[in-house]
Amino acid sequence: MQHQTDILLKMQRLQEEINPKIYHHQPTKQNNRDYWYHKPLGSKNKIARAKKDDFINAIYEFYFGRADYNFEAIYKTAIAEMDRTPETKRSYLADYNRLLQCDEKLRNKDVRLLTYKYVKDYILSYLAFYENCKGTKATDKEMKKAKHVFQVVIDYCIDVEIEIKVTTLPKNALFDRHFRTRKPNRNNVENKAYSPADIEMLENTLNARIERNKGYIQCINALALLCSINTGMRIAELSGLKWEHVTEKTIHVCGQIVRDGKTYKYINTTKDEKYREDENGGRYIPTTKKLRAIFQMAKEKQKQYGIETDFVFGRNETFSNPNQIESALYHTAQELGLKCTNNHAIRIYFNSYVLAKNGVRVSERAKFLGHSAKINEEVYTLPLNDDEFLVEMENILERENVTQNNQKCNPKIISFPNKMKTLDCL
């Protein structure tokens, strides 16, 4: 109630002293965003916010200055203005609330009085507090979440030109003694990806489930998982795959199903993309014979059970819940006694055993799976085991020895790059 009163008082003062022209943009075919905006005289930039209350606060601050510089107000304003999904914003607010458990005084701390030493000491005390509460050392991920809260506030203050004393955060190395370093066990492959033998068992089980035909949900979930095995697509992308995106030659991966509060919704971007308005984004996957058979089976099942939907693996007039497809994979893996029970293990298998072993370059593998080359190299590419490594090195050394011997036997032969012209052609 107090909040609404404050908004009304601010609006009343704005109308009396400034009388700004306020516009409400409603969704159109060209721009589906719903927001309020105002362009101040003499300014190139306009003030725009999705919610009317946030919009009024922003205009008020522009004309009359900020009334509150406490840490919580700045942080929540920064989060509200971010171009992020509601799920991500809730996650950021949860990180902030965890940070407050260490010391509630941070809530009312004036951001203009923040110092490098204060931020460093606060994060150190938070990591110690975490260790006492959990009974175990904090991970580097927890430390980075704490740093991110401060980074959001600092970045916002710089953007809106609030004078602050600290502009950089302490380096991660200063917190080493408070968290265990997370070095991945590169030899423990079976805990992070399926092997070709595991995939074969999964495919046999899923195909048998489709043949039994005990219900539409079981069949369509099995078909979605078979599609994942043969494309490396994410579960959310499988749920959001529409018939209009599938052709005889390609699959256009350009949308996904995401959580929207307690429900789910379809968005026309993938995980690795930011907001876009055109329909030419996403990535393309070739439609193989195996995939064409999967899509044909999905059509037949939808026709058999009278399902009318725009989605390849959808329910009646809607899409499939990603959690249900993930749950189907989990229970199938549990039945087979496999250690990996998530779709991430399928994506690592597809990258390492299908793409990498057939000589596909890192940049192309990353583009195919929808992430960066760095992530592909560090997370999705499994190391060779000792036997495979020795065989690979032996082949490389043998090829090098053969090249050197050929050059010694033919000292007059000059080697040229493939694209360079020979002496006869000059």
Side-chain angles (χ1 to χ4, degrees):
M1 195 68 183
Q2 181 63 38
H3 172 74
Q4 291 298 326
T5 303
D6 292 341
I7 293 295
L8 289 172
L9 290 173
K10 288 180 180 180
M11 194 64 196
Q12 184 178 354
R13 184 182 177 187
L14 282 167
Q15 290 175 342
E16 290 175 355
E17 299 183 25
I18 307 296
N19 193 23
K21 291 183 179 180
I22 295 173
Y23 303 94
H24 182 201
H25 180 275
Q26 295 183 343
T28 62
K29 289 184 179 180
Q30 290 75 24
N31 187 348
N32 62 354
R33 298 176 67 185
D34 185 355
Y35 60 93
W36 298 78
Y37 69 96
H38 163 68
K39 190 170 182 179
L41 291 173
S43 176
K44 294 182 180 179
N45 300 323
K46 64 182 179 182
I47 302 170
R49 298 291 185 274
K51 294 181 179 180
K52 188 175 181 180
D53 290 358
D54 296 338
F55 171 67
I56 293 171
N57 285 329
I59 297 182
Y60 191 88
E61 289 169 13
F62 178 84
Y63 287 108
F64 303 115
R66 179 177 289 277
D68 198 350
Y69 289 92
N70 70 62
F71 192 92
E72 181 168 288
I74 297 291
Y75 184 78
K76 289 187 174 179
T77 302
I79 294 300
E81 295 182 11
M82 279 185 177
D83 186 16
R84 297 289 188 274
T85 62
E87 296 79 13
T88 302
K89 291 183 179 181
R90 280 194 290 269
S91 175
Y92 289 164
L93 290 173
D95 295 341
Y96 169 69
N97 290 329
R98 273 200 307 277
L99 199 63
L100 284 180
Q101 293 176 3
C102 174
D103 187 0
E104 285 281 340
K105 292 180 181 178
L106 176 65
R107 190 190 302 273
N108 298 315
K109 180 75 175 179
D110 192 325
V111 295
R112 296 170 295 182
L113 303 179
L114 287 177
T115 62
Y116 180 92
K117 185 177 183 304
Y118 176 85
V119 174
K120 184 186 76 172
D121 292 344
Y122 192 95
I123 295 176
L124 286 172
S125 62
Y126 170 72
L127 295 174
F129 172 81
Y130 182 96
E131 185 176 345
N132 291 333
C133 292
K134 300 289 185 179
T136 182
K137 289 202 171 188
T139 61
D140 53 346
K141 185 176 181 181
E142 197 66 33
M143 177 269 297
K144 288 174 182 176
K145 285 182 177 181
K147 284 182 65 176
H148 181 260
V149 171
F150 286 98
Q151 191 64 59
V152 167
V153 170
I154 291 171
D155 290 345
Y156 181 81
C157 290
I158 293 172
D159 288 343
V160 299
E161 299 180 355
I162 297 175
E163 292 186 6
I164 52 175
K165 296 180 179 180
V166 56
T167 55
T168 58
L169 292 176
K171 294 182 178 180
N172 294 350
L174 293 173
F175 309 109
D176 280 350
R177 63 188 176 88
H178 282 274
F179 63 88
R180 61 179 185 270
T181 53
R182 301 176 66 191
K183 296 180 180 178
N185 186 356
R186 300 286 285 174
N187 296 321
N188 197 10
V189 171
E190 67 273 10
N191 288 335
K192 59 186 301 186
Y194 291 121
S195 67
D198 295 338
I199 290 295
E200 186 178 354
M201 285 196 295
L202 272 174
E203 285 187 309
N204 292 337
T205 304
L206 294 171
N207 283 321
R209 189 172 295 167
I210 295 168
E211 289 178 6
R212 286 199 298 269
N213 198 18
K214 287 193 173 181
Y216 175 75
I217 301 301
Q218 275 197 5
C219 291
I220 209 67
N221 286 344
L223 288 167
L225 293 175
L226 286 173
C227 185
S228 175
I229 290 171
N230 287 278
T231 60
M233 289 172 63
R234 300 180 178 95
I235 291 292
E237 294 168 348
L238 290 166
S239 297
L241 183 63
K242 294 184 177 182
W243 285 114
E244 64 188 76
H245 299 147
V246 177
T247 67
E248 193 71 17
K249 293 184 177 180
T250 60
I251 304 168
H252 187 193
V253 184
C254 58
Q256 62 175 331
I257 304 301
V258 297
R259 187 177 288 278
D260 183 24
K262 294 183 179 180
T263 60
Y264 287 86
K265 67 177 181 180
Y266 173 82
I267 60 173
N268 66 336
T269 58
T270 56
K271 185 179 178 181
D272 55 307
E273 294 178 307
K274 292 184 178 179
Y275 176 80
R276 58 174 166 81
E277 294 183 1
D278 59 75
E279 298 179 355
N280 298 321
R283 61 188 193 276
Y284 289 88
I285 296 173
T287 310
T288 61
K289 290 182 180 179
K290 216 169 185 180
L291 289 171
R292 282 196 286 269
I294 291 171
F295 295 141
Q296 183 61 35
M297 181 65 71
K299 274 189 178 179
E300 291 175 3
K301 293 298 178 186
Q302 289 178 359
K303 186 176 180 180
Q304 177 185 347
Y305 289 95
I307 303 297
E308 295 182 1
T309 178
D310 295 332
F311 296 89
V312 177
F313 305 109
R315 304 290 184 84
N316 202 17
E317 297 183 356
T318 186
F319 47 78
S320 286
N321 188 326
N323 283 347
Q324 292 177 346
I325 300 177
E326 190 80 53
S327 178
L329 175 59
Y330 173 83
H331 290 296
T332 305
Q334 289 280 310
E335 287 176 20
L336 298 173
L338 303 178
K339 292 186 177 180
C340 299
T341 57
N342 56 52
N343 188 62
H344 196 64
I346 294 179
R347 284 168 59 77
I348 296 176
Y349 153 80
F350 191 84
N351 180 76
S352 297
Y353 291 103
V354 178
L355 300 180
K357 284 206 170 182
N358 285 287
V360 181
R361 292 178 300 176
V362 175
S363 57
E364 299 302 323
R365 301 199 306 258
K367 182 179 178 182
F368 192 92
L369 292 172
H371 49 230
S372 67
K374 181 181 178 182
I375 291 295
N376 188 282
E377 190 69 32
E378 294 180 356
V379 179
Y380 285 81
T381 305
L382 298 177
L384 296 172
N385 59 40
D386 293 340
D387 293 337
E388 291 174 329
F389 176 74
L390 291 174
V391 170
E392 187 72 20
M393 290 305 298
E394 182 182 359
N395 292 336
I396 292 171
L397 294 174
E398 287 290 351
R399 287 197 299 270
E400 184 65 23
N401 291 335
V402 169
T403 303
Q404 291 177 0
N405 290 334
N406 288 338
Q407 289 179 351
K408 287 179 181 179
C409 295
N410 302 284
K412 294 183 180 180
I413 295 177
I414 302 174
S415 299
F416 289 92
N418 293 334
K419 293 185 179 179
M420 187 177 291
K421 295 181 179 180
T422 62
L423 290 174
D424 297 335
C425 299
L426 295 175

